[in-house]
């Protein structure tokens, strides 16, 4: 039971961590572009950051769905 949830967390955690690091890097670069008065590059970086934000949401939803379905299968298997 709990091992399946831990394996799911271990499988998704590195990907989510890498995406969050990328988002932080894009935020820093966007800040520097705003400071240097480069609005087009800053807007591009903010757009890429919003795409990564959606990707993080999709990954979190996928991992939550996997955990929920794993729980349902385990509970259903105990009833047999």
């Amino acid at each position: 039971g709990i091992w399946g949830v831990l394996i799911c967390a271990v499988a998704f955690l590195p990907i989510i961590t890498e995406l969050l690091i990328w988002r932080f890097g894009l935020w820093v670069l966007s800040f520097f572009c705003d400071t240097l008065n480069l609005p087009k590059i800053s807007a591009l970086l903010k757009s890429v950051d919003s795409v990564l934000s959606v990707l993080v949401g999709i990954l979190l939803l996928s991992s939550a769905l996997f955990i929920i379905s794993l729980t349902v299968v385990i509970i259903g298997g105990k009833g047999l």
Side-chain angles (χ1 to χ4, degrees), residues 4 8 15 19 33 50 53-54 57 63:
C8 179
I15 301 167
L19 287 174
C33 286
S50 67
S53 174
V54 170
S63 64

Side-chain angles (χ1 to χ4, degrees), residues 5-69:
V5 174
L6 288 176
I7 289 171
C8 179
V10 168
F12 281 102
L13 194 60
I15 301 167
I16 293 172
T17 304
E18 183 179 357
L19 287 174
L20 291 176
I21 291 170
W22 270 100
R23 287 196 65 208
F24 177 72
L26 289 171
W27 178 78
V28 169
L29 288 174
S30 176
F31 173 75
F32 283 131
C33 286
D34 283 337
T35 304
L36 297 173
N37 198 16
L38 300 169
K40 289 184 180 181
I41 297 174
S42 176
L44 176 69
L45 291 173
K46 288 178 183 176
S47 297
V48 172
D49 180 51
S50 67
V51 169
L52 287 181
S53 174
V54 170
L55 191 56
V56 168
I58 290 170
L59 280 172
L60 288 175
L61 182 64
S62 297
S63 64
L65 187 62
F66 185 77
I67 290 171
I68 291 169
S69 64

